[in-house]
Amino acid sequence: MSTILLIEQILNGLQFGVMLFLMAAGLTLIFGVMGLINLAHGSLFMIGAFVAAAGAAATGSFVLGLIAALMAAALFGALIELTVIRRLYARDHLDQVLATFALILIFSEATRWVFGSFPLYLDTPEFLSGTVTLPGGILYSKYRLAIILIGLAVAAGLFLLISKTRVGMRIRAGENDREMIGALGVDISILYTMVFALGAALAGLSGALVGAIQSVEVGMGEPVLILAFVVIVIGGIGSIKGALAGAVLVGLTDTLGRSLLPLLFALFMDPSAATSVGSALASMLIYILMAGVLLFKPTGLFGSA
Amino acid sequence: MTFGTAALSDAHGGKVKIGLITTLTGGGASLGVDTRDGFMLAIDQAGNDMVEVIVEDDERAPDVAVQVADKMIQSDKVDILTGIVWSNLALAVAPAANAQGKFYVSTNAAPAQLAGKGCNQDYFAVSYQNDNLHEAAGAHAKASNYSKPFILAPNYPAGQDSLTGFKRLYGGELAGELYTKLGQTDYAAEIAQIRASEADSIFFFLPGGMGISFLKQLADSGIELPVIGPAFSFDQTILPAVGDSALGVHNTSQWNKDIDNEANKKFVEGFEDAYGRLPSLYAAQAYDTANLILSAVEKAGIADHDAFRAALKEADFASVRGKFSFGNNNHPIQDIYVREVIKEGDVYTNKIISTVLTDHQDVYAAECGLSN
């Protein structure tokens, strides 16, 4: 494998990782602060993609579609927090899993009811279409590069929000002791709604960005949700830093595994069998990674006990 | 949900009861919706009060499909099952239905296991045998003098059959061969490999949303190689979502809306009138399946199982494909075409550009113990 191809694959892994981070950040924040397992996070990803597609089709502008997607996902996030989720904080995780799983079914069928059974169309915006030549003669998709930059900017913003602002301080405090910050006069229910809406907006952003290069269809959120859970388990539950590290690690492992393992097996097997065995192993790789990390750090890379 | 032209007082009364199991919710529902709509169009057009259809959803899950099939056989007392889109679901349902003395007539899925040694006299595939369209793509690659195609498919039984089918009739050297994860949505790594492989063409089998994602990302990568695929990734159910990225792509199919015959005209116009959209391959196959069953109903009573089977095997119906007949293993012998993705006004669709295989039958027929 040439150096150029390797660098391109590393960029691909980074882009995949950054996209996973946007999903995992909201999931880990909601779990960390509120102790809630939200299986419906993937539905918010789907809502982001559908609203972006519908918005872009209606206005002719990708950027307007993106803004609409962010707002819709945040709005739906706040709405389900107010109507459903807040009844679940005191319940155990099993009840939360059951209720948020029901939300997945409701959102999927509602989306089908509104948009129909057929996939929607969302294309990359004109100014981000095609490729750009990076130093060293690497041809790379402008759009994927933009996803990497947006993701890194969001990561930096989130980090500043949590570590430097008053809201961030309250979020961190809420993570540690929710009764105490309530006693100190912070309105916990508003804080929780805000955190939930923020997490939802991140999922919606991720869905809208990815919708332009993927199929926008009902059920698109579930595979990503599973990966996002793997990411937060690897990174340590409740940690934004962990989510970023875990996401990049999963992105790189998956992408490089898919491209390198079949080549590795081809060294000592016939090509057809090597693709088959290599691909099978590549699809297991991130779970092997997760098991490996948990073996040495049971609470994840940045998790606290 | 019960559609039908007849009100039934008791279980049979000579009427034929059909259980249509297909995917109506979740991922892949567009294929099931088209299957149902195509099937019901034929039933409605026939206005035959000897036929009743029950429709249920399999949610694309084998266990659900098995449950629904059991319920239809045990309590609804259906005579014929049909409608399943996915091979893994068909494998879970069809042999069991046959074992209980019911007919299974497939509108789409036709896995190799049921075409060769595992063939059954009560199992009919109206669509094709799974390998057929991939074989045709291989033959087309050969005829187009491509010398280094890069081929990829998801790593599951139908994906493996696909690449095997392509290689069977292509026969030449490959630039690369890849299996992707089933349900994968990001193909950046694979596309980078295609770019580096110096391939002169690409063959891929990625059904549903996987194909949409791949094509959009391929277009975005700046790779401009000829692309060949089976009809599944360029079907009417998904072309609007792929958009310009699909234009000019060659794909193989046993049906298209521009095939010039009476039955096809009646089907395409009827479908557009009834549902306000263009029909897909899945709708066409389901329409043919319904008409095949109707043709058997005209000839034989369902109570006489052997006579009904013989009537099915005759395939004495006007297929939207034109000529159609069953081989010894109850799978079609038919022509397969190459289509090109075009834009008609604002609508993305296909037109036939050549016939790649004539009177084509599957390779498994020889292993099947049934005779004509």
PDB file of all heavy atoms in Angstrom, chain B residues 11-12 17 19 21 54 56 65-81 93 96-102:
ATOM      1  N   ALA B  11     -63.785 -21.133   5.655  1.00  0.00           N
ATOM      2  CA  ALA B  11     -62.390 -21.213   5.258  1.00  0.00           C
ATOM      3  C   ALA B  11     -62.169 -21.217   3.746  1.00  0.00           C
ATOM      4  O   ALA B  11     -61.411 -20.413   3.240  1.00  0.00           O
ATOM      5  CB  ALA B  11     -61.751 -22.433   5.878  1.00  0.00           C
ATOM      6  N   HIS B  12     -62.826 -22.087   3.012  1.00  0.00           N
ATOM      7  CA  HIS B  12     -62.459 -22.175   1.606  1.00  0.00           C
ATOM      8  C   HIS B  12     -63.579 -21.877   0.626  1.00  0.00           C
ATOM      9  O   HIS B  12     -63.640 -20.819   0.047  1.00  0.00           O
ATOM     10  CB  HIS B  12     -61.809 -23.529   1.320  1.00  0.00           C
ATOM     11  CG  HIS B  12     -60.342 -23.452   1.568  1.00  0.00           C
ATOM     12  ND1 HIS B  12     -59.525 -24.531   1.648  1.00  0.00           N
ATOM     13  CD2 HIS B  12     -59.558 -22.392   1.775  1.00  0.00           C
ATOM     14  CE1 HIS B  12     -58.298 -24.154   1.892  1.00  0.00           C
ATOM     15  NE2 HIS B  12     -58.288 -22.858   1.978  1.00  0.00           N
ATOM     16  N   LYS B  17     -56.788 -18.540  -1.220  1.00  0.00           N
ATOM     17  CA  LYS B  17     -56.383 -17.527  -0.248  1.00  0.00           C
ATOM     18  C   LYS B  17     -54.868 -17.348  -0.327  1.00  0.00           C
ATOM     19  O   LYS B  17     -54.111 -18.318  -0.199  1.00  0.00           O
ATOM     20  CB  LYS B  17     -56.821 -17.983   1.146  1.00  0.00           C
ATOM     21  CG  LYS B  17     -57.164 -16.820   2.031  1.00  0.00           C
ATOM     22  CD  LYS B  17     -57.937 -17.298   3.256  1.00  0.00           C
ATOM     23  CE  LYS B  17     -58.184 -16.126   4.176  1.00  0.00           C
ATOM     24  NZ  LYS B  17     -58.760 -16.521   5.451  1.00  0.00           N
ATOM     25  N   GLY B  19     -51.410 -15.436   1.064  1.00  0.00           N
ATOM     26  CA  GLY B  19     -50.786 -14.647   2.131  1.00  0.00           C
ATOM     27  C   GLY B  19     -49.571 -13.934   1.581  1.00  0.00           C
ATOM     28  O   GLY B  19     -48.611 -14.570   1.145  1.00  0.00           O
ATOM     29  N   ILE B  21     -46.517 -11.753   2.438  1.00  0.00           N
ATOM     30  CA  ILE B  21     -45.676 -11.285   3.535  1.00  0.00           C
ATOM     31  C   ILE B  21     -44.570 -10.436   2.930  1.00  0.00           C
ATOM     32  O   ILE B  21     -43.814 -10.907   2.074  1.00  0.00           O
ATOM     33  CB  ILE B  21     -45.023 -12.472   4.274  1.00  0.00           C
ATOM     34  CG1 ILE B  21     -46.090 -13.458   4.743  1.00  0.00           C
ATOM     35  CG2 ILE B  21     -44.192 -11.975   5.447  1.00  0.00           C
ATOM     36  CD1 ILE B  21     -45.515 -14.746   5.295  1.00  0.00           C
ATOM     37  N   ILE B  54     -54.296 -11.616   1.796  1.00  0.00           N
ATOM     38  CA  ILE B  54     -54.030 -11.038   3.115  1.00  0.00           C
ATOM     39  C   ILE B  54     -52.605 -10.488   3.084  1.00  0.00           C
ATOM     40  O   ILE B  54     -51.691 -11.178   2.645  1.00  0.00           O
ATOM     41  CB  ILE B  54     -54.065 -12.108   4.218  1.00  0.00           C
ATOM     42  CG1 ILE B  54     -55.327 -12.944   4.114  1.00  0.00           C
ATOM     43  CG2 ILE B  54     -53.959 -11.476   5.580  1.00  0.00           C
ATOM     44  CD1 ILE B  54     -55.251 -14.158   5.003  1.00  0.00           C
ATOM     45  N   GLU B  56     -49.345  -8.868   5.200  1.00  0.00           N
ATOM     46  CA  GLU B  56     -48.755  -8.563   6.502  1.00  0.00           C
ATOM     47  C   GLU B  56     -47.287  -8.206   6.384  1.00  0.00           C
ATOM     48  O   GLU B  56     -46.607  -8.565   5.427  1.00  0.00           O
ATOM     49  CB  GLU B  56     -48.953  -9.749   7.456  1.00  0.00           C
ATOM     50  CG  GLU B  56     -50.431  -9.874   7.855  1.00  0.00           C
ATOM     51  CD  GLU B  56     -50.614 -10.393   9.265  1.00  0.00           C
ATOM     52  OE1 GLU B  56     -49.869  -9.960  10.171  1.00  0.00           O
ATOM     53  OE2 GLU B  56     -51.517 -11.228   9.442  1.00  0.00           O
ATOM     54  N   ALA B  65     -41.033 -12.910  10.118  1.00  0.00           N
ATOM     55  CA  ALA B  65     -41.561 -13.527   8.898  1.00  0.00           C
ATOM     56  C   ALA B  65     -42.080 -14.935   9.187  1.00  0.00           C
ATOM     57  O   ALA B  65     -43.156 -15.322   8.716  1.00  0.00           O
ATOM     58  CB  ALA B  65     -40.481 -13.567   7.820  1.00  0.00           C
ATOM     59  N   VAL B  66     -41.320 -15.701   9.972  1.00  0.00           N
ATOM     60  CA  VAL B  66     -41.720 -17.067  10.302  1.00  0.00           C
ATOM     61  C   VAL B  66     -43.022 -17.063  11.104  1.00  0.00           C
ATOM     62  O   VAL B  66     -43.938 -17.834  10.834  1.00  0.00           O
ATOM     63  CB  VAL B  66     -40.597 -17.788  11.084  1.00  0.00           C
ATOM     64  CG1 VAL B  66     -41.100 -19.096  11.683  1.00  0.00           C
ATOM     65  CG2 VAL B  66     -39.412 -18.058  10.166  1.00  0.00           C
ATOM     66  N   GLN B  67     -43.104 -16.144  12.078  1.00  0.00           N
ATOM     67  CA  GLN B  67     -44.323 -16.038  12.893  1.00  0.00           C
ATOM     68  C   GLN B  67     -45.545 -15.710  12.038  1.00  0.00           C
ATOM     69  O   GLN B  67     -46.598 -16.328  12.166  1.00  0.00           O
ATOM     70  CB  GLN B  67     -44.180 -14.906  13.901  1.00  0.00           C
ATOM     71  CG  GLN B  67     -43.639 -15.324  15.244  1.00  0.00           C
ATOM     72  CD  GLN B  67     -43.423 -14.109  16.126  1.00  0.00           C
ATOM     73  OE1 GLN B  67     -44.133 -13.113  16.003  1.00  0.00           O
ATOM     74  NE2 GLN B  67     -42.431 -14.197  16.995  1.00  0.00           N
ATOM     75  N   VAL B  68     -45.372 -14.715  11.163  1.00  0.00           N
ATOM     76  CA  VAL B  68     -46.485 -14.299  10.307  1.00  0.00           C
ATOM     77  C   VAL B  68     -46.909 -15.454   9.402  1.00  0.00           C
ATOM     78  O   VAL B  68     -48.096 -15.731   9.233  1.00  0.00           O
ATOM     79  CB  VAL B  68     -46.100 -13.065   9.465  1.00  0.00           C
ATOM     80  CG1 VAL B  68     -47.184 -12.752   8.450  1.00  0.00           C
ATOM     81  CG2 VAL B  68     -45.859 -11.863  10.369  1.00  0.00           C
ATOM     82  N   ALA B  69     -45.897 -16.159   8.852  1.00  0.00           N
ATOM     83  CA  ALA B  69     -46.202 -17.283   7.956  1.00  0.00           C
ATOM     84  C   ALA B  69     -46.966 -18.369   8.707  1.00  0.00           C
ATOM     85  O   ALA B  69     -47.957 -18.900   8.200  1.00  0.00           O
ATOM     86  CB  ALA B  69     -44.917 -17.841   7.356  1.00  0.00           C
ATOM     87  N   ASP B  70     -46.524 -18.672   9.928  1.00  0.00           N
ATOM     88  CA  ASP B  70     -47.212 -19.693  10.729  1.00  0.00           C
ATOM     89  C   ASP B  70     -48.657 -19.294  10.978  1.00  0.00           C
ATOM     90  O   ASP B  70     -49.574 -20.098  10.841  1.00  0.00           O
ATOM     91  CB  ASP B  70     -46.500 -19.876  12.079  1.00  0.00           C
ATOM     92  CG  ASP B  70     -45.279 -20.761  11.936  1.00  0.00           C
ATOM     93  OD1 ASP B  70     -45.165 -21.418  10.883  1.00  0.00           O
ATOM     94  OD2 ASP B  70     -44.430 -20.777  12.853  1.00  0.00           O
ATOM     95  N   LYS B  71     -48.835 -18.026  11.340  1.00  0.00           N
ATOM     96  CA  LYS B  71     -50.183 -17.536  11.617  1.00  0.00           C
ATOM     97  C   LYS B  71     -51.058 -17.645  10.360  1.00  0.00           C
ATOM     98  O   LYS B  71     -52.194 -18.096  10.413  1.00  0.00           O
ATOM     99  CB  LYS B  71     -50.106 -16.084  12.088  1.00  0.00           C
ATOM    100  CG  LYS B  71     -51.398 -15.609  12.758  1.00  0.00           C
ATOM    101  CD  LYS B  71     -51.595 -14.110  12.638  1.00  0.00           C
ATOM    102  CE  LYS B  71     -52.588 -13.822  11.576  1.00  0.00           C
ATOM    103  NZ  LYS B  71     -52.661 -12.641  10.903  1.00  0.00           N
ATOM    104  N   MET B  72     -50.480 -17.255   9.216  1.00  0.00           N
ATOM    105  CA  MET B  72     -51.260 -17.303   7.980  1.00  0.00           C
ATOM    106  C   MET B  72     -51.644 -18.730   7.619  1.00  0.00           C
ATOM    107  O   MET B  72     -52.752 -18.987   7.139  1.00  0.00           O
ATOM    108  CB  MET B  72     -50.472 -16.683   6.831  1.00  0.00           C
ATOM    109  CG  MET B  72     -50.467 -15.159   6.859  1.00  0.00           C
ATOM    110  SD  MET B  72     -49.537 -14.549   5.445  1.00  0.00           S
ATOM    111  CE  MET B  72     -49.967 -12.805   5.495  1.00  0.00           C
ATOM    112  N   ILE B  73     -50.715 -19.671   7.860  1.00  0.00           N
ATOM    113  CA  ILE B  73     -51.000 -21.059   7.502  1.00  0.00           C
ATOM    114  C   ILE B  73     -51.978 -21.685   8.506  1.00  0.00           C
ATOM    115  O   ILE B  73     -52.961 -22.311   8.127  1.00  0.00           O
ATOM    116  CB  ILE B  73     -49.685 -21.888   7.429  1.00  0.00           C
ATOM    117  CG1 ILE B  73     -48.830 -21.396   6.260  1.00  0.00           C
ATOM    118  CG2 ILE B  73     -49.994 -23.375   7.292  1.00  0.00           C
ATOM    119  CD1 ILE B  73     -47.453 -22.012   6.192  1.00  0.00           C
ATOM    120  N   GLN B  74     -51.706 -21.464   9.798  1.00  0.00           N
ATOM    121  CA  GLN B  74     -52.520 -22.118  10.833  1.00  0.00           C
ATOM    122  C   GLN B  74     -53.911 -21.504  10.960  1.00  0.00           C
ATOM    123  O   GLN B  74     -54.908 -22.212  10.897  1.00  0.00           O
ATOM    124  CB  GLN B  74     -51.823 -22.032  12.210  1.00  0.00           C
ATOM    125  CG  GLN B  74     -50.407 -22.559  12.251  1.00  0.00           C
ATOM    126  CD  GLN B  74     -50.318 -24.050  11.954  1.00  0.00           C
ATOM    127  OE1 GLN B  74     -51.293 -24.771  12.137  1.00  0.00           O
ATOM    128  NE2 GLN B  74     -49.173 -24.505  11.462  1.00  0.00           N
ATOM    129  N   SER B  75     -53.974 -20.188  11.174  1.00  0.00           N
ATOM    130  CA  SER B  75     -55.307 -19.640  11.468  1.00  0.00           C
ATOM    131  C   SER B  75     -55.999 -19.013  10.256  1.00  0.00           C
ATOM    132  O   SER B  75     -57.220 -19.066  10.149  1.00  0.00           O
ATOM    133  CB  SER B  75     -55.262 -18.671  12.654  1.00  0.00           C
ATOM    134  OG  SER B  75     -54.103 -17.903  12.636  1.00  0.00           O
ATOM    135  N   ASP B  76     -55.229 -18.407   9.339  1.00  0.00           N
ATOM    136  CA  ASP B  76     -55.897 -17.818   8.178  1.00  0.00           C
ATOM    137  C   ASP B  76     -56.144 -18.842   7.075  1.00  0.00           C
ATOM    138  O   ASP B  76     -56.887 -18.582   6.136  1.00  0.00           O
ATOM    139  CB  ASP B  76     -55.072 -16.660   7.605  1.00  0.00           C
ATOM    140  CG  ASP B  76     -54.926 -15.520   8.600  1.00  0.00           C
ATOM    141  OD1 ASP B  76     -55.887 -15.264   9.336  1.00  0.00           O
ATOM    142  OD2 ASP B  76     -53.846 -14.902   8.641  1.00  0.00           O
ATOM    143  N   LYS B  77     -55.469 -20.001   7.196  1.00  0.00           N
ATOM    144  CA  LYS B  77     -55.646 -21.097   6.222  1.00  0.00           C
ATOM    145  C   LYS B  77     -55.365 -20.650   4.789  1.00  0.00           C
ATOM    146  O   LYS B  77     -56.179 -20.885   3.888  1.00  0.00           O
ATOM    147  CB  LYS B  77     -57.066 -21.673   6.291  1.00  0.00           C
ATOM    148  CG  LYS B  77     -57.537 -22.016   7.698  1.00  0.00           C
ATOM    149  CD  LYS B  77     -57.310 -23.484   7.995  1.00  0.00           C
ATOM    150  CE  LYS B  77     -57.862 -23.885   9.354  1.00  0.00           C
ATOM    151  NZ  LYS B  77     -56.853 -24.417  10.265  1.00  0.00           N
ATOM    152  N   VAL B  78     -54.241 -19.987   4.581  1.00  0.00           N
ATOM    153  CA  VAL B  78     -53.910 -19.581   3.214  1.00  0.00           C
ATOM    154  C   VAL B  78     -53.446 -20.798   2.418  1.00  0.00           C
ATOM    155  O   VAL B  78     -53.004 -21.800   2.990  1.00  0.00           O
ATOM    156  CB  VAL B  78     -52.793 -18.503   3.182  1.00  0.00           C
ATOM    157  CG1 VAL B  78     -53.236 -17.251   3.905  1.00  0.00           C
ATOM    158  CG2 VAL B  78     -51.506 -19.040   3.750  1.00  0.00           C
ATOM    159  N   ASP B  79     -53.562 -20.705   1.095  1.00  0.00           N
ATOM    160  CA  ASP B  79     -53.126 -21.781   0.208  1.00  0.00           C
ATOM    161  C   ASP B  79     -51.755 -21.491  -0.391  1.00  0.00           C
ATOM    162  O   ASP B  79     -51.007 -22.398  -0.728  1.00  0.00           O
ATOM    163  CB  ASP B  79     -54.131 -21.948  -0.939  1.00  0.00           C
ATOM    164  CG  ASP B  79     -55.540 -22.132  -0.431  1.00  0.00           C
ATOM    165  OD1 ASP B  79     -55.798 -23.175   0.194  1.00  0.00           O
ATOM    166  OD2 ASP B  79     -56.377 -21.220  -0.632  1.00  0.00           O
ATOM    167  N   ILE B  80     -51.461 -20.181  -0.560  1.00  0.00           N
ATOM    168  CA  ILE B  80     -50.242 -19.774  -1.233  1.00  0.00           C
ATOM    169  C   ILE B  80     -49.589 -18.664  -0.425  1.00  0.00           C
ATOM    170  O   ILE B  80     -50.270 -17.744   0.024  1.00  0.00           O
ATOM    171  CB  ILE B  80     -50.553 -19.225  -2.645  1.00  0.00           C
ATOM    172  CG1 ILE B  80     -51.291 -20.268  -3.472  1.00  0.00           C
ATOM    173  CG2 ILE B  80     -49.293 -18.761  -3.349  1.00  0.00           C
ATOM    174  CD1 ILE B  80     -51.826 -19.734  -4.789  1.00  0.00           C
ATOM    175  N   LEU B  81     -48.272 -18.750  -0.248  1.00  0.00           N
ATOM    176  CA  LEU B  81     -47.539 -17.642   0.369  1.00  0.00           C
ATOM    177  C   LEU B  81     -46.684 -16.979  -0.697  1.00  0.00           C
ATOM    178  O   LEU B  81     -46.217 -17.633  -1.636  1.00  0.00           O
ATOM    179  CB  LEU B  81     -46.668 -18.137   1.514  1.00  0.00           C
ATOM    180  CG  LEU B  81     -47.407 -18.481   2.812  1.00  0.00           C
ATOM    181  CD1 LEU B  81     -46.468 -19.173   3.775  1.00  0.00           C
ATOM    182  CD2 LEU B  81     -47.991 -17.231   3.443  1.00  0.00           C
ATOM    183  N   VAL B  93     -38.802 -19.074   5.515  1.00  0.00           N
ATOM    184  CA  VAL B  93     -40.246 -19.280   5.361  1.00  0.00           C
ATOM    185  C   VAL B  93     -40.606 -20.333   4.305  1.00  0.00           C
ATOM    186  O   VAL B  93     -41.418 -21.233   4.564  1.00  0.00           O
ATOM    187  CB  VAL B  93     -40.951 -17.945   5.010  1.00  0.00           C
ATOM    188  CG1 VAL B  93     -42.372 -18.188   4.543  1.00  0.00           C
ATOM    189  CG2 VAL B  93     -40.930 -17.010   6.217  1.00  0.00           C
ATOM    190  N   ALA B  96     -40.404 -24.272   4.913  1.00  0.00           N
ATOM    191  CA  ALA B  96     -41.369 -24.666   5.946  1.00  0.00           C
ATOM    192  C   ALA B  96     -42.793 -24.648   5.394  1.00  0.00           C
ATOM    193  O   ALA B  96     -43.594 -25.535   5.704  1.00  0.00           O
ATOM    194  CB  ALA B  96     -41.253 -23.735   7.143  1.00  0.00           C
ATOM    195  N   ALA B  97     -43.090 -23.647   4.575  1.00  0.00           N
ATOM    196  CA  ALA B  97     -44.428 -23.573   3.985  1.00  0.00           C
ATOM    197  C   ALA B  97     -44.670 -24.766   3.061  1.00  0.00           C
ATOM    198  O   ALA B  97     -45.734 -25.394   3.092  1.00  0.00           O
ATOM    199  CB  ALA B  97     -44.589 -22.260   3.218  1.00  0.00           C
ATOM    200  N   ASN B  98     -43.656 -25.090   2.249  1.00  0.00           N
ATOM    201  CA  ASN B  98     -43.769 -26.238   1.352  1.00  0.00           C
ATOM    202  C   ASN B  98     -43.987 -27.528   2.133  1.00  0.00           C
ATOM    203  O   ASN B  98     -44.794 -28.382   1.755  1.00  0.00           O
ATOM    204  CB  ASN B  98     -42.503 -26.384   0.492  1.00  0.00           C
ATOM    205  CG  ASN B  98     -42.361 -25.286  -0.555  1.00  0.00           C
ATOM    206  OD1 ASN B  98     -41.276 -24.958  -0.984  1.00  0.00           O
ATOM    207  ND2 ASN B  98     -43.485 -24.693  -0.953  1.00  0.00           N
ATOM    208  N   ALA B  99     -43.269 -27.646   3.260  1.00  0.00           N
ATOM    209  CA  ALA B  99     -43.376 -28.853   4.078  1.00  0.00           C
ATOM    210  C   ALA B  99     -44.785 -29.014   4.629  1.00  0.00           C
ATOM    211  O   ALA B  99     -45.219 -30.131   4.921  1.00  0.00           O
ATOM    212  CB  ALA B  99     -42.366 -28.810   5.221  1.00  0.00           C
ATOM    213  N   GLN B 100     -45.503 -27.901   4.782  1.00  0.00           N
ATOM    214  CA  GLN B 100     -46.880 -27.976   5.276  1.00  0.00           C
ATOM    215  C   GLN B 100     -47.889 -28.022   4.128  1.00  0.00           C
ATOM    216  O   GLN B 100     -49.079 -27.734   4.319  1.00  0.00           O
ATOM    217  CB  GLN B 100     -47.179 -26.780   6.186  1.00  0.00           C
ATOM    218  CG  GLN B 100     -46.333 -26.804   7.460  1.00  0.00           C
ATOM    219  CD  GLN B 100     -46.543 -25.562   8.318  1.00  0.00           C
ATOM    220  OE1 GLN B 100     -47.566 -25.403   8.945  1.00  0.00           O
ATOM    221  NE2 GLN B 100     -45.552 -24.687   8.324  1.00  0.00           N
ATOM    222  N   GLY B 101     -47.391 -28.326   2.931  1.00  0.00           N
ATOM    223  CA  GLY B 101     -48.292 -28.523   1.802  1.00  0.00           C
ATOM    224  C   GLY B 101     -48.816 -27.236   1.177  1.00  0.00           C
ATOM    225  O   GLY B 101     -49.850 -27.246   0.510  1.00  0.00           O
ATOM    226  N   LYS B 102     -48.092 -26.121   1.378  1.00  0.00           N
ATOM    227  CA  LYS B 102     -48.517 -24.854   0.779  1.00  0.00           C
ATOM    228  C   LYS B 102     -47.584 -24.484  -0.370  1.00  0.00           C
ATOM    229  O   LYS B 102     -46.411 -24.854  -0.373  1.00  0.00           O
ATOM    230  CB  LYS B 102     -48.494 -23.730   1.823  1.00  0.00           C
ATOM    231  CG  LYS B 102     -49.272 -24.019   3.078  1.00  0.00           C
ATOM    232  CD  LYS B 102     -50.751 -24.197   2.781  1.00  0.00           C
ATOM    233  CE  LYS B 102     -51.493 -24.693   4.032  1.00  0.00           C
ATOM    234  NZ  LYS B 102     -52.870 -25.081   3.717  1.00  0.00           N
TER     235      LYS B 102
END
